[in-house]
């Protein structure tokens, strides 16, 4: 979740530096109100420590939706977004994929049965890595 958010955020922060950014069950609304989906006060407090209060500069600087909107005309990588249909983070993955499509940024979106679990990620990472190989035109060792 945070790794998916981080991959997308870093790719957007440094356009032209990456060819591929993958997110499995990414917390893509991390800076823009993910605390709404957090169920314990400790997690909500932790989130506020990381991103600051709603409307703060830290939130804006780390909001991948704002970063994407402001990336018009910049060289962006191919984005791979994947989330399980039973994952609480599904709405933000759908929203981010819709924004990628609207801005005509190259991407691939997967939404399959599954939840926010290692079992789901372990299964789906193989598909993501295969996509990365295709997008980056990597040849297998046996093909060299």
């Amino acid at each position: 979740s945070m790794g998916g958010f981080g991959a997308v955020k870093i790719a957007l922060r440094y356009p032209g530096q990456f060819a591929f950014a993958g997110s499995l069950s990414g917390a893509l609304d991390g800076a823009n109100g993910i605390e709404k989906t957090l169920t314990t006060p400790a997690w909500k407090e932790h989130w506020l420590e990381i991103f600051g209060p709603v409307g703060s500069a830290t939130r804006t600087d780390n909001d991948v939706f704002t970063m994407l909107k402001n990336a018009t005309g910049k060289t962006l990588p191919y984005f791979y977004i994947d989330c399980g249909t039973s994952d609480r983070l599904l709405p933000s993955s759908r929203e981010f994929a819709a924004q990628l499509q609207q801005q005509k940024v190259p991407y691939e979106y997967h939404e399959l049965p599954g939840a926010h679990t290692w079992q789901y990620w372990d299964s789906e990472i193989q598909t993501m890595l295969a996509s990365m190989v295709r997008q980056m035109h990597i040849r297998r060792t046996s093909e060299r």
Side-chain angles (χ1 to χ4, degrees):
S1 36
M2 288 310 293
F5 166 78
V8 168
K9 181 181 94 169
I10 290 169
L12 289 168
R13 178 141 307 147
Y14 302 102
Q17 298 297 309
F18 300 94
F20 187 93
S23 172
L24 299 176
S25 301
L28 301 177
D29 60 353
N32 194 19
I34 193 173
E35 70 269 354
K36 292 180 285 187
T37 65
L38 300 174
T39 56
T40 64
W43 272 107
K44 289 181 181 184
E45 184 178 319
H46 182 65
W47 213 257
L48 283 171
E49 288 176 22
I50 295 170
F51 290 110
V54 174
S56 69
T58 302
R59 290 258 180 151
T60 302
D61 291 346
N62 290 286
D63 180 358
V64 296
F65 292 92
T66 300
M67 294 170 80
L68 178 58
K69 185 172 33 173
N70 294 334
T72 305
K74 296 180 180 173
T75 305
L76 295 177
Y78 185 88
F79 286 94
Y80 182 97
I81 309 297
D82 184 317
C83 197
T85 55
S86 297
D87 194 316
R88 69 187 183 281
L89 299 174
L90 182 61
S92 64
S93 289
R94 286 178 174 167
E95 185 181 347
F96 193 75
Q99 189 171 338
L100 289 167
Q101 182 178 21
Q102 181 181 25
Q103 290 185 228
K104 296 179 179 25
V105 175
Y107 78 100
E108 179 174 340
Y109 179 73
H110 296 264
E111 182 178 302
L112 301 164
H116 201 80
T117 63
W118 280 108
Q119 181 181 1
Y120 182 80
W121 305 321
D122 190 47
S123 169
E124 295 310 304
I125 196 164
Q126 297 303 318
T127 306
M128 183 185 79
L129 292 173
S131 176
M132 182 180 70
V133 166
R134 282 190 310 276
Q135 293 303 318
M136 296 181 71
H137 310 287
I138 299 171
R139 293 188 316 214
R140 296 176 188 249
T141 305
S142 62
E143 297 173 5
R144 292 179 189 201

